[in-house]
Amino acid sequence: MNAKQAVPEKFSNPLNEDRKQDFSLLSTEAIWKNLLAGFQDGKKVQIGLENALIERLRTEPDNAIYKELLSLFRQGSLAGFAQQVLVSLLGEVGNYKSAETLMSLVNETLLEEADVKLAAFDAISKFSPELWYENPNTELAPVFEAAWQTENADFWPSIANVMASIGTPATLDIFVETLADNTHAERVAVVKQAMTNIVNPALIPKLADLLENPSFKNVQLASGNALANMGEIGAASALLDWSAGVDAGKAELVKQWFETAMNTTPEFIGFLETNLPAQKFSSPEIKQAISLVLKDIKNGV
């Protein structure tokens, strides 16, 4: 099927984007067809149609438009600017079907132009919950967990960051498996960075257990970084519990993690002021290291 067949003709009364339109009078299919017709005419900006379609797809999660969108990408019948608009639109819709469609585009290596890839990276980031406690988006996790297996390495950081920010136990298991396996340096590096985006407090006990297990250094370091960056007092206090049992050789690591934890979790400063004096440590050097970091943070150093 060629481009003329794939992109429908405009309706007899084409929409004028220069005037306010009442898109509520149009069917979702009509909005979609007019958007495609605008692409065919070279229109790079169709804000009214784009916003109207986003709102419709948010309330019509199983719309057949997703299937047609995939077909257009597979046929190669869309110009680069149209591809950018559509991948961005999928990110704005932000539901399971739009995530699934976007990951299909990634898995099938259908996003090749640099500008389209940039739009896709941004679209993927839209699936990260802005306020985890209010909307953790856990129902989307399986889509990105499956997509993590893609060979399209350009997308690994974006996918891993969304996985981490949603932060299901299954995601953490995938990350730990990648780190423990340690046979693919690029994937390992991506996971280490992504784990600093974990915010689900339900993962604190598992991360604390991993921190206590030195069998896999990558896993232990990534878990400590995750706890330090989480911004939760429970995560920061888990670092204090761990530090109480380590030897002086971990002093620099302790300084790094405690400085990060105090910056991401300001209440940890008061927590340490209250609890550090009575805390017993296997190594006095570790307690001294924490005390110095605490002093520097309070003095704004």
Side-chain angles (χ1 to χ4, degrees):
M1 185 179 291
N2 60 33
K4 290 291 183 182
Q5 293 172 311
V7 181
E9 294 181 1
K10 292 183 293 186
F11 295 153
S12 57
N13 295 314
L15 298 176
N16 184 349
E17 288 286 311
D18 295 326
R19 298 199 304 267
K20 289 186 176 179
Q21 300 291 328
D22 186 0
F23 295 108
S24 65
L25 300 177
L26 293 177
S27 68
T28 305
E29 180 71 7
I31 294 171
W32 169 243
K33 297 298 184 185
N34 273 280
L35 182 65
L36 294 181
F39 290 155
Q40 188 175 9
D41 281 351
K43 292 183 180 179
K44 296 186 177 182
V45 179
Q46 305 180 82
I47 298 299
L49 286 168
E50 293 165 23
N51 288 339
L53 186 58
I54 289 166
E55 291 304 316
R56 292 295 181 84
L57 292 180
R58 284 174 176 170
T59 58
E60 302 172 16
D62 294 321
N63 198 293
I65 285 171
Y66 292 111
K67 185 176 181 179
E68 186 175 351
L69 185 154
L70 272 174
S71 179
L72 292 172
F73 273 86
R74 288 165 179 160
Q75 293 164 20
S77 58
L78 293 168
F81 73 87
Q83 293 182 41
Q84 290 180 59
V85 170
L86 292 179
V87 296
S88 297
L89 185 146
L90 291 173
E92 292 296 335
V93 173
N95 59 23
Y96 188 96
K97 193 65 178 181
S98 68
E100 187 178 55
T101 303
L102 183 56
M103 290 301 96
S104 292
L105 295 175
V106 171
N107 290 331
E108 295 180 36
T109 322
L110 297 173
L111 309 177
E112 297 183 344
E113 294 185 20
D115 288 344
V116 176
K117 282 186 175 182
L118 288 174
F121 298 153
D122 183 65
I124 293 169
S125 73
K126 300 288 186 183
F127 292 93
S128 294
E130 291 185 15
L131 298 172
W132 191 91
Y133 284 98
E134 295 182 12
N135 186 21
N137 290 350
T138 51
E139 74 281 1
L140 301 179
V143 177
F144 296 103
E145 289 164 1
W148 170 244
Q149 303 306 317
T150 180
E151 295 301 318
N152 200 342
D154 289 345
F155 288 90
W156 289 346
S158 298
I159 293 170
N161 284 336
V162 173
M163 289 169 63
S165 62
I166 294 174
T168 65
T171 282
L172 183 55
D173 289 341
I174 291 169
F175 285 165
V176 169
E177 182 180 354
T178 301
L179 293 170
D181 181 48
N182 197 28
T183 56
H184 197 301
E186 188 175 355
R187 278 192 185 271
V188 167
V190 166
V191 167
K192 285 180 178 178
Q193 188 282 323
M195 283 181 64
T196 64
N197 296 316
I198 290 176
V199 290
N200 182 359
L203 299 184
I204 292 174
K206 177 67 175 291
L207 289 168
D209 286 344
L210 294 170
L211 185 61
E212 296 285 354
N213 184 356
S215 300
F216 298 101
K217 186 176 180 181
N218 280 335
V219 175
Q220 187 179 47
L221 291 176
S223 299
N225 281 330
L227 291 168
N229 281 278
M230 190 178 287
E232 292 282 341
I233 189 64
S237 62
L239 288 177
L240 180 60
D241 293 340
W242 164 81
S243 69
V246 301
D247 59 39
K250 292 290 195 299
E252 288 304 314
L253 188 57
V254 165
K255 287 180 182 178
Q256 175 188 325
W257 282 345
F258 274 72
E259 180 178 359
T260 299
M262 280 183 258
N263 283 320
T264 60
T265 319
E267 60 266 40
F268 190 41
I269 297 172
F271 181 90
L272 285 174
E273 288 178 313
T274 300
N275 294 283
L276 185 59
Q279 178 69 53
K280 296 185 182 300
F281 287 84
S282 296
S283 169
E285 289 86 354
I286 296 297
K287 185 171 187 177
Q288 182 181 19
I290 297 171
S291 298
L292 288 174
V293 174
L294 178 59
K295 180 181 177 180
D296 287 345
I297 292 289
K298 290 176 63 180
N299 291 334
V301 176

